[in-house]
Amino acid sequence: MDLPLSDFRHMSVAEFDTNKLLNHASRQAEERGYKKFPIVDVDSHHYESESIAEILDYMDDPVLQQLAKSASQSARTTGMFAGGIGYQDMGGRVTRYPLRKLEKGNPDEHRDVSLTRRWMDAIGVDISVLFPTPMLQLGLHPQVEVEVALARAYNRWLIERVLAKEPRIRSMLYLPFNDPDAAFRMVQEMGGKPGVVGFMVTAARYKPVHHNSYMRIYALLEEMGLPLGFHSAYNWNDQSLSLMNKFISVHALGFVWHNMVHMTNWIMNGLPERFPKLKVVWIESGLAWLPFMMQRLDNEYMMRSSEAPALKRLPSDYIRDMYFTSQPMERSAEDDVLAITMRMMKAETQLMYSSDYPHWDFDLPSTIYDLPFLSETAKRNILGGNAIRFFGLKLPEQKLARVA
Amino acid sequence: MPDVFVAKAAEFAEGDRRIVAHDGVEIGVFNWQGNYFAYENLCIHQGGPACEGVIMHKVEDVLGPDRTWHGHKFSENEAHFVCPWHGYEYDITTGECAADRRLKLKSFDVVRRGEDIYVVA
Ligand code: FES
């Protein structure tokens, strides 16, 4: 494959091997002794668009299926995915984006299973919670029926073709939140399937999480003991975010913006009081927003508590009961800031490591393991223990990842 | 300080690079515009193989005399190699991190002995 570079140069690459790309990560796993404790990655990805032909076979609606199949023959993806503009590959600088096409899976196995297990072994992850990629923007689709149809097809495909084949891969299934009835039925139908550890709402969407039509979904999840995750994403067409002319800008703010809105609604409408046993996890917004949210919401609540009468505690108290994935963990020159953040959010019990691999801003387990202010117990909780408790995972004694 | 063989000069083309290893340390050696540069292949970010990524010229803004913006261009003289893991860029002639020049990769001397190129590890 020819990669276009600056100055009209090219770089030609014949092969791509995840093991080779990540061999420094494997060395980190060995040096840090990851074989001594389990590592659970609560947010990782695959590219479901690469399997779209298979996924469309699971689509029930014959008209939508035919429409999507036809569109995917003429367009590069389905012609049905929402979203669009994005430069995650950083102008080819993050080479695994174009080069992944060259990598092959193992024979007799779905390529997604092979590739996922390959990077998990390379970095020392035992269990990973896998999410889609282009579908993170499916909540923006103007056709609600398409969100439902694609979500249902994808979930059924994922359960049968991926989760059933590799117990080290789990997923919080995509919830088509623009159709509350369909979302409810999806939880009923798929919540108990092997490998399903909860449900995920993509955060880039425009229906408020406190709408009454969602209450029976939350109640059902609570009753079934299944966690609800809000996975962030950006929407460059959002009226405010569209003021920004750089991907860096829209990504840096977009990945927190939607979750800030949803969390504020979640708390101010007293959902933690109404669903006290529902476990909520906020995915891929990093950590830096949490001290900000705690301070902003507490400060205003002290003056305007009459507007949020359902609350029995401070907003920050509810935030401290929620769960968070770690990536993209903001690196600051000041270690103190991160230490204070982790203390404020009770990271030792509420924070769960996530890699986001193979996306461009992935974090290795060493981003947690090397933090000087955490005890060994805290590190192991964040890297695995918290997720094991959160999802109720049953793990064997021995390490599942093939680390040295 | 042992010399580690990199390549025959004739086989090490301009714009090319080699990765050599010595005593557990990987070193990336670049031939850039006829000069050799060598850095430890270990990114200061998360430890990625910094020297194995693409080489890209620095992107620069084009500003008018009235400070209006007129687009981008690739620099004519500053080139970076880019860590393939997350895109940290390093100045190929100094090993400094382009986004924060206080950060720098460990560098090594490169010597030519007859037809052979060595890095002093
Ligand atoms: S490890 Fe090199 S850019 Fe992250």
Side-chain angles (χ1 to χ4, degrees), chain A residues 143-180:
Chain A
Q143 297 168 285
V144 173
E145 66 275 22
V146 169
E147 185 191 16
V148 175
L150 258 182
R152 203 176 135 71
Y154 167 79
N155 287 343
R156 290 172 61 204
W157 167 83
L158 186 73
I159 289 167
E160 268 184 40
R161 305 292 286 270
V162 178
L163 303 183
K165 307 292 179 195
E166 175 50 89
R168 286 174 58 195
I169 305 176
R170 313 287 175 100
S171 187
M172 300 176 82
L173 295 181
Y174 184 103
L175 212 47
F177 222 45
N178 287 325
D179 182 341

Side-chain angles (χ1 to χ4, degrees), chain A residues 276-347:
Chain A
K277 293 207 166 64
L278 177 58
K279 291 187 199 168
V280 177
V281 54
W282 302 88
I283 302 167
E284 211 181 333
S285 292
L287 308 184
W289 64 306
L290 296 171
F292 171 89
M293 292 294 284
M294 290 181 184
Q295 294 171 85
R296 294 289 300 176
L297 299 186
D298 280 4
N299 187 53
E300 303 230 354
Y301 176 72
M302 290 305 291
M303 296 182 276
R304 311 182 70 97
S305 61
S306 64
E307 289 178 20
L311 274 63
K312 299 204 170 75
R313 298 183 288 154
L314 293 177
S316 63
D317 291 326
Y318 295 106
I319 294 177
R320 269 185 285 274
D321 285 347
M322 293 170 169
Y323 293 83
F324 300 89
T325 62
S326 59
Q327 182 276 345
M329 199 173 71
E330 298 85 353
R331 300 200 136 204
S332 149
E334 311 280 343
D335 260 356
D336 298 1
V337 177
L338 192 54
I340 291 169
T341 303
M342 287 207 179
R343 199 178 69 223
M344 284 179 77
M345 64 179 293
K346 293 202 301 183

Side-chain angles (χ1 to χ4, degrees), chain A residues 98-381:
Chain A
L99 295 181
R100 58 176 287 114
K101 285 195 200 82
L102 302 176
E103 186 161 21
K104 296 205 167 34
N106 306 332
D108 308 324
E109 187 173 66
H110 198 284
R111 181 170 174 269
D112 282 13
V113 173
S114 300
L115 298 197
T116 302
R117 202 191 304 107
R118 207 170 283 168
W119 68 252
M120 288 168 67
D121 282 339
I123 74 176
V125 163
D126 298 274
I127 302 274
S128 98
V129 179
L130 194 68
F131 292 110
T133 297
M135 279 176 62
L136 292 177
Q137 293 179 317
L138 188 56
L140 303 170
H141 207 291
Q143 297 168 285
V144 173
E145 66 275 22
V146 169
E147 185 191 16
V148 175
L150 258 182
R152 203 176 135 71
Y154 167 79
N155 287 343
R156 290 172 61 204
W157 167 83
L158 186 73
I159 289 167
E160 268 184 40
R161 305 292 286 270
V162 178
L163 303 183
K165 307 292 179 195
E166 175 50 89
R168 286 174 58 195
I169 305 176
R170 313 287 175 100
S171 187
M172 300 176 82
L173 295 181
Y174 184 103
L175 212 47
F177 222 45
N178 287 325
D179 182 341
D181 289 337
F184 181 84
R185 286 196 301 274
M186 206 163 283
V187 176
Q188 276 183 319
E189 181 189 338
M190 301 184 189
K193 299 279 186 204
V196 175
V197 292
F199 285 84
M200 180 273 290
V201 172
T202 54
R205 57 177 66 248
Y206 294 90
K207 275 209 167 62
V209 298
H210 55 273
H211 195 277
N212 275 340
S213 57
Y214 293 133
M215 296 309 120
R216 64 192 193 116
I217 301 175
Y218 303 148
L220 180 61
L221 287 168
E222 187 181 46
E223 187 189 310
M224 293 173 77
L226 289 169
L228 177 65
F230 289 93
H231 191 301
S232 63
Y234 68 92
N235 173 20
W236 210 332
N237 292 317
D238 180 275
Q239 205 168 356
S240 293
L241 298 182
S242 67
L243 295 179
M244 294 190 275
N245 65 338
K246 313 263 189 186
F247 185 77
I248 182 177
S249 316
V250 81
H251 189 275
L253 297 200
F255 266 74
V256 277
W257 167 244
H258 299 284
N259 269 347
M260 289 167 97
V261 172
H262 298 319
M263 178 188 274
T264 303
N265 279 336
W266 191 269
I267 291 172
M268 291 308 172
N269 289 285
L271 295 179
E273 287 294 342
R274 290 194 248 169
F275 302 96
K277 293 207 166 64
L278 177 58
K279 291 187 199 168
V280 177
V281 54
W282 302 88
I283 302 167
E284 211 181 333
S285 292
L287 308 184
W289 64 306
L290 296 171
F292 171 89
M293 292 294 284
M294 290 181 184
Q295 294 171 85
R296 294 289 300 176
L297 299 186
D298 280 4
N299 187 53
E300 303 230 354
Y301 176 72
M302 290 305 291
M303 296 182 276
R304 311 182 70 97
S305 61
S306 64
E307 289 178 20
L311 274 63
K312 299 204 170 75
R313 298 183 288 154
L314 293 177
S316 63
D317 291 326
Y318 295 106
I319 294 177
R320 269 185 285 274
D321 285 347
M322 293 170 169
Y323 293 83
F324 300 89
T325 62
S326 59
Q327 182 276 345
M329 199 173 71
E330 298 85 353
R331 300 200 136 204
S332 149
E334 311 280 343
D335 260 356
D336 298 1
V337 177
L338 192 54
I340 291 169
T341 303
M342 287 207 179
R343 199 178 69 223
M344 284 179 77
M345 64 179 293
K346 293 202 301 183
E348 188 156 350
T349 55
Q350 309 306 112
L351 181 61
M352 302 188 281
Y353 164 70
S354 58
S355 73
D356 196 39
Y357 197 81
H359 291 173
W360 64 274
D361 48 351
F362 75 91
D363 278 344
L364 287 175
S366 59
T367 54
I368 299 292
Y369 197 80
D370 294 354
L371 290 175
F373 53 83
L374 290 179
S375 67
E376 183 70 20
T377 311
K379 291 173 184 179
R380 292 184 185 195
N381 278 341

Side-chain angles (χ1 to χ4, degrees), chain B residues 43 45-48 83 85-88:
Chain B
C43 186
H45 178 218
Q46 291 186 32
C83 178
W85 278 9
H86 318 90
Y88 270 41

